[in-house]
Amino acid sequence: MKSYATLRGRKGTFSLLIHKRTLLLTLLFALLVIAAAVVSLGIGELKIHPVDVLKVFAGMGTEQNEIVVKQFRLPRVLVAILVGAALAAAGAIMQGIVRNPLASPDILGITGGASVTAVGFLLYFDTVSIKWLPPAAFAGATLITLVIYALAWKKGVSSLRLVMIGVGMKIAANAVITILIMFSPFILQNKATLWLTGSIYGVDWNDVQLIAPWIVILLLLALLMTRRVNVQQLGDEIATGVGTRIQFDRFALLVICAALTGAAVAVGGEISFVALLAPHIAKQMTGPSFGGAMPLSACVGALIVVVADLIARTAFSPIDVPVGVFTSAVGAPFFIYLLYRNRKR
């Protein structure tokens, strides 16, 4: 037990057993996220040395650097961190529930549900304040999650039925999105198409304030439920045998997954494969334990989106390429590799 550390709440409200190596890896990736953020804050039309970026946060930067870093670049970097962490955590939850490394919210239809309502909002409610876009995306993700859960119910919800129904709902959501775009005004179609590709271009402090509280709270809730996911990975019969309320826990975790996905999609659009890629990378380093994989997945996801966004806005400057293009370029081959590896087993 020397390789583990115990974290307990007051009066036994919660207890977490943390693998020290996993904790060190999580801290390492958190530092990598901070380093990538500092580099990203300094790169643009106006180059700012990383040391000068740090001086801005220490209150010793020039007025010009203060404006560029804090007003223009920092909101985008923070949104990239939040979106990446939310998508990765949602993917870790989904893979923990389904017990399949190929599972993720974008593959099983939850992202599709958020996209349907978000695209519908952008196309047909363009005169309404954009502040209503996150609630619309959240509502879509939650609604399709409830539909998937209801259709998969048969004296309980099995992982296999959840996957089959989820894939079917993803296809249906894509069809609805296509129809919405086809019958919408032409001037708004490009806007919706860009959003579907996944982009955090043009975000500001309002977007940060809008999603940050939700994502932080939901990540904490997911962390508190880590032991229940660990039990579910042993199988439904064993989980039921040790006294776990498996159906309630599975439903609660799906709602958290939907909420994280909705918050991320509302601001970042449909950024693909982060929810698939980050948890798999984390589990390769920590093992199957959800308690270790979830926080590390969040850090890995944040790092992926920050780096992808940095490449997206600088590689083809002055053109700002959607970040989803780069995550898909990496994620699609990785998904094919996972399919091939699982076929051989």
Side-chain angles (χ1 to χ4, degrees), residues 114-132:
S115 298
V116 168
T117 52
V119 169
F121 179 90
L122 290 171
L123 294 176
Y124 298 102
F125 296 92
D126 56 301
T127 58
V128 180
S129 172
I130 197 67
K131 291 182 179 180
W132 290 100

Side-chain angles (χ1 to χ4, degrees), residues 214-234:
W214 289 101
I215 291 177
V216 171
I217 291 171
L218 290 166
L219 288 175
L220 291 175
L221 287 175
L223 186 61
L224 291 175
M225 296 188 70
T226 53
R227 288 184 299 179
R228 301 182 184 185
V229 180
N230 287 334
V231 173
Q232 289 193 25
Q233 291 180 345
L234 299 174

Side-chain angles (χ1 to χ4, degrees), residues 102-111 163 166-168 170-171 273 276 335:
L102 301 177
S104 70
D106 47 345
I107 293 173
L108 300 186
I110 297 177
T111 302
V163 171
V167 171
K170 171 183 170 60
I171 296 171
F273 291 109
L276 173 72
F335 181 64

Side-chain angles (χ1 to χ4, degrees), residues 111-112 114-120 122-123 173-174 176-181 188-199 265 268-272 322-325 327-328:
T111 302
S115 298
V116 168
T117 52
V119 169
L122 290 171
L123 294 176
N174 288 341
V176 172
I177 290 171
T178 302
I179 292 172
L180 288 174
I181 292 176
L188 298 174
Q189 290 180 3
N190 288 337
K191 182 179 180 181
T193 303
L194 177 64
W195 184 90
L196 284 170
T197 307
S199 176
V265 168
E270 196 169 321
I271 300 176
S272 302
V323 64
V325 172
T327 58
S328 296

Side-chain angles (χ1 to χ4, degrees), residues 58-93:
M60 298 184 294
T62 65
E63 183 178 355
Q64 182 184 42
N65 288 350
E66 287 265 355
I67 295 172
V68 171
V69 170
K70 290 187 177 181
Q71 296 300 320
F72 296 106
R73 295 179 184 172
L74 185 57
R76 180 164 178 165
V77 171
L78 289 177
V79 166
I81 292 172
L82 291 168
V83 168
L87 290 174
I93 292 171

